[in-house]
Structure formats: structure tokens, C-alpha cells
């Protein structure tokens, strides 16, 4: 636990007389699900968690992504890189067994979403039954399944974090079925927080502003979303994945020990603007 009451003015100034400040995630182990490449929000989160002293394990979706994830993980001194397709219960079970060999977990990052390209374009009303199922399964149910797989591994005081977007609450053109999936994800965060609270495990989400990533490229006119968000946000710019990482480090650390079931905006303030 980082004890802020004990911080002296010299500590805060970083005086040479004070000992090195304790890192937020020192002695903590985390599993990161959702790195695809160096543009991934999960990679921004991983870098900040590493800077803050965490030991990390990673997953990758398939062999072609493994080629990208492995060197990234190794650059943070992690050799724990496991395959996992979150739509497959057997993969989640195998992941739990692999992580168990490593030890207990202090945090889990869920940064996974998928919808068919044709469902991220045009009218929401045209979403097919199968397209709806796929989006909700991979983008929302997977958080429930991942939390259940990790539950026996979580230390008390542990933290689970998911990534969501404003399209869960308001209609965002072309976000379509993913907005519905994010609404389900946010509700799942609250229900999971209620379940896991008994074990002193917290569950929260970050609602990030638009960031150009592999997944984002699947959304039609994504560049317009970026431009609009930068123009309207109080900070007059788009958020960066390292900024999401910094807020994630707070939610994954003991600094947020009293916070659970929350959706925390990291969007340069975009969400609060009306006309
Ligand atoms: P990304 O493409 O880098 O990451 C998405 C990840 O989901 C990839 O690593 C991909 O391999 C993984 N994935 C997809 N299907 C999977 C499956 N079946 N099993 C396991 N993994 C699977 O894109 P990102 O933008 O960094 O997305 C990370 C999270 O952030 C997502 O939940 C996304 O919705 C959310 N988010 C993104 C933005 C944005 O503008 N980029 C904004 C808010 C929230």
C-alpha cells in the first residue's frame, strides 16, 4: 500500500535525502489481455504498469499477432505470453492453468473488442443476428468469462479493468453494434463488481476517447471521429494511449482501493460537453 500520509515535502520534491519513492505497482502481478501491436491501448497501459513496477503476463489472439506481441512483451522483461481467444472457453481454462503456474494475480486488464466490419458501417437496424452475437460475445461476455477464469487467482485487493467508449451511452455514427456491446460491458462491470467485492476484488472500466488503433480502423470514418473529438473536447485534442495507461495504473493500484464498479472517462473531457 502506498501511504500518502507518510509522504514528506522532501519526498514529494524528490530530494536526494529521501529514499526512492515506491512505485504504484511494485510487487504486483498483472495479466494483460488485448495487446495486438504497439498502437494498442493495452500496450500503453502495459508500459505504464511496467514503469510502475508491475510484473506482466500477456496473451495474444493468434499466431500472426504473436509475432508482434512477443517482442513487445520481452521489451518489458516478460516471457509469459499465452495464446487466448476469449470466445473459446477451453482457451480461458488453459490460460487460467498457465497463469496459475506463475502465481497469484493482483490485476487483470481486459482490452478486447470485435465486431464484423459490415456492422460498423451504415444503419444499426441492419445488424444481423450473428453479427450481434459475435460483437456481444467477444466484446462483453468475454469480460465475465475472463473474470470467472481469474477469480481463483486474484489476491484480495486485486483489480480488474475493462475498456469502454462513449458510444455505450450515446449514439455515435458507425459505432452501431459495438455501442450496444459496450453498454453490456459497462453493466457487466457493475454486476462483476458486486460479485467480486466480497473477495475484495474491484472491477472498473475506463471510457477512453478515440485513439487510432488496429480495431479503430474497422470503424468507418474513424478519422472524422478523431477530428470531431479533438475539436469538441475541453483539452482541444485527442487522448493518447499512455494517458489511458496512467489512469489505468491508478485504477489497478491501491490508490483506488475504495473505487469499484465505476466507468472513468479518459477522453480529454469530451463527454461533458453539450452544445
Ligand atoms: P486493438 O486492436 O489494439 O486491441 C483490440 C484487441 O482485441 C486486439 O489485441 C485483438 O487481438 C483482441 N481481440 C479481438 N478478438 C479477440 C478474441 N476473440 N480473443 C482475444 N482477443 C481478441 O484496439 P484498441 O483500440 O487498443 O482496443 C482495446 C480496447 O479499447 C477495446 O475494448 C476497445 O473497444 C477499447 N476502446 C478503444 C478505443 C479506440 O478509439 N481505439 C476507444 C475506447 C475504447
Amino acid at each position: 500500500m502506498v501511504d500518502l500520509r507518510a509522504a514528506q515535502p522532501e519526498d514529494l520534491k524528490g530530494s536526494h535525502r529521501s529514499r526512492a519513492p515506491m512505485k504504484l505497482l511494485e510487487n504486483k502481478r498483472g495479466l494483460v489481455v488485448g495487446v495486438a501491436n504497439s498502437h494498442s491501448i493495452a500496450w500503453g497501459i502495459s508500459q505504464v504498469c511496467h514503469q510502475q513496477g508491475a510484473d506482466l503476463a500477456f496473451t495474444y489472439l493468434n499466431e500472426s499477432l504473436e509475432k508482434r506481441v512477443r517482442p513487445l512483451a520481452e521489451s518489458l522483461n516478460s516471457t509469459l505470453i499465452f495464446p487466448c481467444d476469449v470466445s473459446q472457453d477451453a482457451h480461458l481454462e488453459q490460460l487460467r492453468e498457465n497463469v496459475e503456474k506463475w502465481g497469484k494475480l493482483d490485476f487483470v486488464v481486459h482490452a478486447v473488442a470485435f465486431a464484423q466490419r459490415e456492422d460498423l458501417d451504415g444503419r444499426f437496424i441492419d445488424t444481423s443476428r450473428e453479427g450481434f452475437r459475435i460483437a456481444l460475445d467477444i466484446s462483453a461476455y468475454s469480460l465475465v468469462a475472463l473474470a470467472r477464469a481469474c477469480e481463483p487467482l486474484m489476491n484480495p485487493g486485486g483489480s480488474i479493468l475493462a475498456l469502454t467508449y462513449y458510444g455505450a451511452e450515446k449514439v455515435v455514427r458507425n459505432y452501431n453494434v459495438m455501442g450496444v456491446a459496450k453498454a453490456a460491458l459497462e453493466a457487466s462491470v457493475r454486476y462483476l463488481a458486486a460479485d467480486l467485492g466480497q473477495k475484495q476484488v474491484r472491477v472498473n472500466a475506463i471510457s477512453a476517447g478515440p485513439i487510432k488503433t488496429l480495431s479503430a480502423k474497422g470503424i468507418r470514418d474513424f478519422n472524422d471521429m478523431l477530428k470531431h473529438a479533438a475539436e469538441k473536447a475541453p483539452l482541444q485534442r485527442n487522448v493518447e494511449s499512455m494517458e489511458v495507461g496512467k489512469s489505468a495504473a491508478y485504477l489497478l493500484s491501491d490508490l483506488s482501493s475504495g473505487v469499484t464498479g465505476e466507468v472513468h472517462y479518459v477522453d480529454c473531457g469530451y463527454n461533458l460537453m453539450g452544445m
Side-chain angles (χ1 to χ4, degrees), residues 9-29:
E10 308 89 80
D11 292 322
L12 298 173
K13 280 189 228 145
S15 152
H16 68 276
R17 284 184 291 127
S18 61
R19 61 191 158 76
M22 188 166 167
K23 293 177 175 176
L24 279 184
L25 297 170
E26 203 132 304
N27 302 321
K28 291 198 188 283
R29 286 179 171 180

Side-chain angles (χ1 to χ4, degrees), residues 33-37 39-43 59-62 65 69 84-88 110-114 138-139 142 162-166 175 178 182 185 206-217 219 222 225-226 241:
V33 180
V35 177
N37 56 36
H39 302 291
S40 295
I41 295 176
W43 180 240
T59 68
Y60 58 88
L61 173 58
N62 53 35
L65 287 178
V69 178
C84 183
D85 179 337
V86 294
S87 67
Q88 305 294 320
H110 174 286
V112 171
F114 179 78
I138 297 178
S139 314
S142 64
L163 271 300
T164 185
Y165 176 62
Y166 185 72
Y175 201 62
M178 191 54 77
K182 290 301 190 192
L185 181 80
I206 284 178
S207 184
I211 299 175
K212 205 165 194 165
T213 63
L214 193 62
S215 297
K217 283 185 191 154
I219 302 166
F222 184 76
M225 275 170 77
L226 280 173
S241 66

